[in-house]
Amino acid sequence: MTVERLKQAESKEQGKISGDYCAEFVDFIKQYYQTNKTIALHEPCFIGNEKKYLVDTIDSTFVSSVGEYVDHFETMCADFTGAKYAVATVNGTAALHIALQLVNVGMGEEVITQPLSFIATCNAITYCGAMPVFIDVDRTTMGLSPTKLAEWLALNGEKSDRGCINRQSGKIIRACLPMHTFGHPVDIEPIMEVCDSYGIVVVEDAAEAIGSQYKSKHAGTFGRASILSFNGNKTITSGGGGMLLTNDEQLAKRAKYLTTTAKVGHQWDYYHNELGFNYRMPNLNAALGCAQMEQLPVILQAKRELAQLYEAFFSNKHITFLTEPDNTLSNYWLNAVIVSDKQERDEFLNRTNHAGVATRPIWRLINSLPMYQHCQTGNLDNASWLADRVINIPSGARLPQSAYDS
Ligand SMILES: *Cc1c(COP(=O)(O)O)cnc(C)c1O
């Protein structure tokens, strides 16, 4: 055989191996979820008091912006995460908008963030009239890289009385917004250190990270403020919803005020003394959120067990299953694997989705989207590398049958 034909045979053989592991993977998933129906990427589990609390809000008529479930939900989130204050909002994006506004991100300023995230991270920056600056991620966390951040700031950041100035654009870099990708905690401590030394405030996008910990502290309790999301695809859901977390009493008070139309307390007078927002979470959503918080430990445990099964499944294959970074505990919101290249990624996506198993590529880099193409970026080697290779695989918790019977 010629060398050419040998090479062809070899690549066919590789294709076949890849086909085999795809089939094996599909069988493995169907076995795990014990179904032949289409398997979603993530589905909510309602196994507790969800219906009871929802009916309760309807019976009480307090379904909207006033009601005691909102207060309960806030207390539960503060207790669970260890944050001193929690303020519920209509969704995570709204919480992020308010968090950035409350750390004074303003018109014409800049916020450092990662290019690998859900679009909401950058949209919230834009709602403040500010612009993102994209700095690379680490391959291990898929979140903002503290070393790349330090390198970029050493070249471009300059401390001044007004804040940190970007030498290239002349604008103020007001904040840094790292994100805990798929629930794997970002390397937050060194990020805090670098940002502190330049006078840049840190807000954490912990939308995906309820139940995740960095050095035994809950993700989202390191920066000045952070947010959680309770959208239907997240670890637990309130239908739609978000939560702003902070240890700063003043910031928490302002957050509650601004999210409730900035109305000055009075029995009947409609006096609003600044521009506020209608971002308050309805009681109906909070009721669902409270019931879900009660189930969170069980759900986290089931997700961890699934991640362990995935880790074992992929351990003898050429594919890397992403595990929690050192010194952290991940909630394994969305499980992810890294394949060899883009071609293999697309083959895997095709085969699995055709077989009724939902798998998805990681997001496109945000700086490649029309609204953000003009933004400044550092070197994005790791983000680009990951964008071509990371695939999310089914991650919904499968609870023991007994959980559904009760
Ligand atoms: C889900 C999510 C949000 C926003 O949450 P919504 O509740 O859908 O508005 C923000 N950032 C990230 C990284 C997310 O995954």
Side-chain angles (χ1 to χ4, degrees), residues 62-337:
F62 286 97
V63 294
S64 195
S65 45
V66 176
E68 52 192 33
Y69 281 109
V70 181
D71 300 330
H72 283 319
F73 191 31
E74 289 175 338
T75 306
M76 286 175 103
C77 287
D79 289 349
F80 182 83
T81 59
K84 273 198 188 148
Y85 307 97
V87 179
T89 57
V90 280
N91 57 51
T93 313
L96 206 47
H97 178 191
I98 291 297
L100 291 173
Q101 181 162 325
L102 287 178
V103 301
N104 298 321
V105 171
M107 203 62 86
E109 297 185 341
E110 295 179 339
V111 176
I112 292 176
T113 191
Q114 57 198 66
L116 210 49
S117 185
F118 178 56
I119 191 71
T121 309
C122 285
N123 287 349
I125 296 170
T126 309
Y127 298 159
C128 296
M131 278 219 307
V133 172
F134 296 103
I135 301 297
D136 207 7
V137 297
D138 280 328
R139 289 190 189 184
T140 45
T141 64
M142 296 173 286
L144 191 69
S145 164
T147 35
K148 291 280 191 100
L149 175 67
E151 281 168 20
W152 188 87
L153 281 170
L155 282 175
N156 300 289
E158 194 175 303
K159 261 190 101 163
S160 83
D161 296 345
R162 296 189 298 137
C164 180
I165 310 284
N166 179 342
R167 286 203 188 100
Q168 306 250 340
S169 66
K171 293 180 172 158
I172 294 176
I173 303 168
R174 184 62 69 197
C176 175
L177 181 56
M179 197 275 279
H180 301 279
T181 307
F182 305 142
H184 293 322
V186 73
D187 199 1
I188 190 70
E189 256 180 16
I191 291 175
M192 292 295 302
E193 274 169 35
V194 175
C195 288
D196 280 349
S197 72
Y198 282 90
I200 297 172
V201 358
V202 175
V203 173
E204 293 170 78
D205 184 344
E208 307 178 353
I210 193 161
S212 301
Q213 295 177 13
Y214 178 93
K215 297 191 179 169
S216 307
K217 259 184 83 180
H218 200 283
T221 58
F222 294 81
R224 179 88 57 84
S226 76
I227 68 107
L228 303 172
S229 167
F230 296 97
N231 192 37
N233 65 340
K234 296 297 201 293
T235 298
I236 56 168
T237 183
S238 58
M243 193 70 68
L244 184 151
L245 303 176
T246 184
N247 289 330
D248 181 332
E249 186 181 3
Q250 216 41 42
L251 195 150
K253 278 190 175 152
R254 292 271 305 149
K256 193 152 188 168
Y257 180 66
L258 287 181
T259 53
T260 52
T261 69
K263 183 178 179 294
V264 176
H266 188 276
Q267 222 175 341
W268 57 76
D269 194 17
Y270 296 112
Y271 180 53
H272 308 263
N273 61 353
E274 63 182 298
L275 181 66
F277 300 87
N278 180 15
Y279 279 177
R280 190 79 174 144
M281 177 185 280
N283 203 39
L284 201 60
N285 296 88
L288 188 59
C290 287
Q292 287 268 279
M293 279 303 286
E294 292 170 356
Q295 301 305 321
L296 182 57
V298 179
I299 290 171
L300 287 171
Q301 182 56 32
K303 288 174 74 69
R304 174 158 290 271
E305 281 164 18
L306 172 57
Q308 282 161 354
L309 291 175
Y310 274 140
E311 192 179 353
F313 176 84
F314 287 109
S315 65
N316 60 355
K317 300 179 180 56
H318 71 281
I319 292 178
T320 307
F321 175 72
L322 280 152
T323 51
E324 57 202 359
D326 292 344
N327 300 314
T328 74
L329 204 65
S330 175
N331 64 4
Y332 287 100
W333 169 53
L334 281 192
N335 290 295
V337 292

Side-chain angles (χ1 to χ4, degrees), residues 31-48:
Q31 180 94 34
Y32 177 77
Y33 286 103
Q34 309 213 320
T35 180
N36 271 320
K37 291 189 204 134
T38 300
I39 292 156
L41 200 62
H42 203 284
E43 275 180 339
C45 309
F46 300 126
I47 49 169

